[in-house]
Amino acid sequence: MKNESRKCRSRKTCQYKITVESYLDQNWSQWFDGFQIEPKEDGETVIIGDVHDQADLHGVIKKIRDLGLHLVSVEQLCCRPQQKVKKCKRSMVNE
């Protein structure tokens, strides 16, 4: 008997707000792949941008680590379906 299984995750782009305990000016936007950089008066900086998957999010956090910045918070603001959704792959499993 053959059992057809679908392995698929919904593809969403999520916007994240990341706060670090350091002052970064808007010139750092390019380093953070076009994310908005919003320095605050209290010395913290808010970094806001779209993340397509967990690997992207970890990449941004890695950049923060590489700069030696103290991570204050990571907040998911909203998600929306990605524009180009890949078709789910079907696999045939023999039982």
Side-chain angles (χ1 to χ4, degrees), residues 23-34:
Y23 176 85
L24 296 175
D25 63 26
Q26 294 176 355
N27 293 324
W28 284 96
S29 180
Q30 186 175 359
W31 171 258
F32 285 102
D33 301 321

Side-chain angles (χ1 to χ4, degrees), residues 75-89:
E75 180 182 355
Q76 183 178 314
L77 300 178
C78 62
C79 290
R80 63 192 177 284
Q82 288 183 2
Q83 294 298 327
K84 295 181 182 179
V85 178
K86 295 181 182 179
K87 290 185 179 180
C88 299
K89 294 183 180 181

Side-chain angles (χ1 to χ4, degrees), residues 43-75:
E44 292 183 342
T45 300
V46 174
I47 303 167
I48 299 176
D50 289 342
V51 174
H52 302 289
D53 56 26
Q54 289 295 300
D56 281 352
L57 179 59
H58 285 268
V60 174
I61 292 171
K62 182 178 181 260
K63 288 181 178 193
I64 291 168
R65 181 204 66 203
D66 291 348
L67 290 172
L69 302 175
H70 177 77
L71 184 62
V72 175
S73 67
V74 177
E75 180 182 355

